[in-house]
Amino acid sequence: MLSIYLGKMDEAIYHPPTYFDNRYEDEWITDELSVEMIRDVDRSEVISARLIDSPVLGSISTRELSGGVKTLMLMAFDSTAKVFNASVCGDNCAKWILKIGELRDLTINLRHIMDFGPGNFEARILNTGEIIHNMSEFISVAGRYV
C-alpha cells in the first residue's frame, strides 16, 4: 500500500537523484518495470544497464536519466526502507508511484499536491491516518499540510 507523509519530513531523502547515483545497481535498469518507466517518463529506450537511447540527448548513461525516473527506481528497488521525497517527480510519475504502491508497501514524502489523476486509488496519509481513494479526498487532506 502507498503511504504518504505530507510536508517537510526530516528523515526523508531530500534529493533522491543524488542518492540514486551512489546506490543503484545495474540490474535495476534492465528490470522490465524500469524499462517501462524510462520509456514512459523519459521517452527513452534502455539499451543496456549503462546505456540509454534518448531522442533528445542521444546516447546517455544511467546517471543522465531524469530525477523522476531515478526516484521511481529507488521506490521500486531500494531495500533500505528509506523514504524518498517524491516532490522531485513530476505528475508524469504519479501513475508509477501508484503502481509501485500496489506491488509493495511504499512510503513517500510529498511537499506538494501531486496529481494522481481522475481514477480511484488507495493511499494512507500518515499525517492523519486517513485512507484516501481519489484526488478530491487527497486535496482535502493535503491542502492542510503542503
Side-chain angles (χ1 to χ4, degrees):
M1 174 180 227
L2 175 62
S3 297
I4 303 169
Y5 185 87
L6 296 161
K8 187 174 187 229
M9 182 182 194
D10 290 334
E11 60 271 24
I13 303 295
Y14 179 75
H15 195 255
T18 301
Y19 184 85
F20 175 91
D21 287 346
N22 293 292
R23 300 289 295 200
Y24 82 92
E25 298 176 24
D26 285 346
E27 57 267 16
W28 295 4
I29 309 305
T30 55
D31 184 275
E32 187 57 36
L33 178 62
S34 293
V35 170
E36 290 178 35
M37 293 187 301
I38 292 167
R39 184 176 294 132
D40 181 52
V41 175
D42 283 2
R43 306 283 187 241
S44 298
E45 295 296 326
V46 174
I47 306 302
S48 70
R50 299 191 182 235
L51 181 62
I52 311 295
D53 183 30
S54 165
V56 175
L57 303 172
S59 296
I60 61 172
S61 75
T62 304
R63 291 179 182 244
E64 294 169 283
L65 288 167
S66 71
V69 165
K70 289 177 179 183
T71 303
L72 290 172
M73 283 190 278
L74 285 167
M75 291 175 189
F77 303 112
D78 184 77
S79 61
T80 63
K82 300 259 189 234
V83 176
F84 299 102
N85 172 16
S87 287
V88 301
C89 297
D91 287 341
N92 61 342
C93 295
K95 72 179 184 184
W96 294 106
I97 292 171
L98 293 174
K99 180 172 180 141
I100 295 164
E102 291 172 1
L103 298 173
R104 65 182 282 200
D105 286 335
L106 174 65
T107 299
I108 64 170
N109 176 223
L110 273 176
R111 298 168 188 220
H112 78 290
I113 297 177
M114 179 172 272
D115 184 357
F116 288 104
N120 288 329
F121 59 90
E122 188 171 272
R124 174 178 286 113
I125 304 299
L126 295 175
N127 307 65
T128 64
E130 293 175 65
I131 305 291
I132 56 156
H133 303 93
N134 55 51
M135 276 304 295
S136 178
E137 292 176 7
F138 178 56
I139 290 169
S140 71
V141 177
R144 290 182 260 158
Y145 296 96
V146 294

